[in-house]
């Protein structure tokens, strides 16, 4: 890391860093709120070669990942309940006797 930039947020201080990738190209790193690193030190990072996702500390999970999986789980649960209700109603109507 070559430089540190401090930012004030509602949740407390946050830091971004100027880093050099293994190939020597410059990049920036946001390790997340409350994480401070030593300037001049080495850290393992994950870099997207296409540049579509921001560089992250290795081993860190993007906060959006658990949210996406939670939403998918809720959507699956709602679909299962709705499917069960529709099938139950069809069976009830089919088994109904007319007098």
């Amino acid at each position: 890391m070559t430089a540190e930039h401090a930012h004030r947020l509602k949740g407390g201080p946050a830091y971004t860093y100027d880093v050099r990738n293994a190939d020597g190209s410059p990049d920036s790193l946001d390790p997340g709120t409350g994480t401070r690193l030593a300037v001049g030190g080495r850290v393992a990072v994950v870099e997207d070669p296409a540049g579509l996702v921001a560089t992250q500390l290795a081993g860190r999970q993007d906060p959006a990942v658990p949210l996406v999986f939670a939403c998918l789980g809720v959507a699956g649960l709602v679909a299962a309940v709705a499917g069960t209700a529709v099938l139950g109603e069809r069976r009830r109507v089919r088994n109904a006797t007319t007098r």
Side-chain angles (χ1 to χ4, degrees):
M1 288 173 284
T2 59
E4 175 184 77
H5 306 283
H7 310 279
R8 291 230 176 244
L9 300 176
K10 290 181 182 179
Y15 304 93
T16 55
Y17 296 90
D18 295 335
V19 296
R20 292 236 176 253
N21 294 321
D23 63 0
S25 63
D27 204 347
S28 64
L29 173 66
D30 179 1
T33 305
T35 302
R36 191 166 189 188
L37 305 171
V39 174
R42 291 177 159 260
V43 293
V45 297
V46 178
E47 177 191 12
D48 178 13
L52 301 176
V53 178
T55 301
Q56 301 176 22
L57 285 176
R60 282 272 173 110
Q61 190 176 37
D62 189 356
V65 171
L67 179 62
V68 169
F69 282 115
C71 290
L72 290 174
V74 168
L77 181 62
V78 168
V81 169
T84 302
V86 168
L87 290 175
E89 181 63 18
R90 284 185 180 176
R91 182 173 290 164
R92 187 187 69 77
V93 170
R94 186 179 57 222
N95 293 335
T97 58
T98 311
R99 299 199 189 244

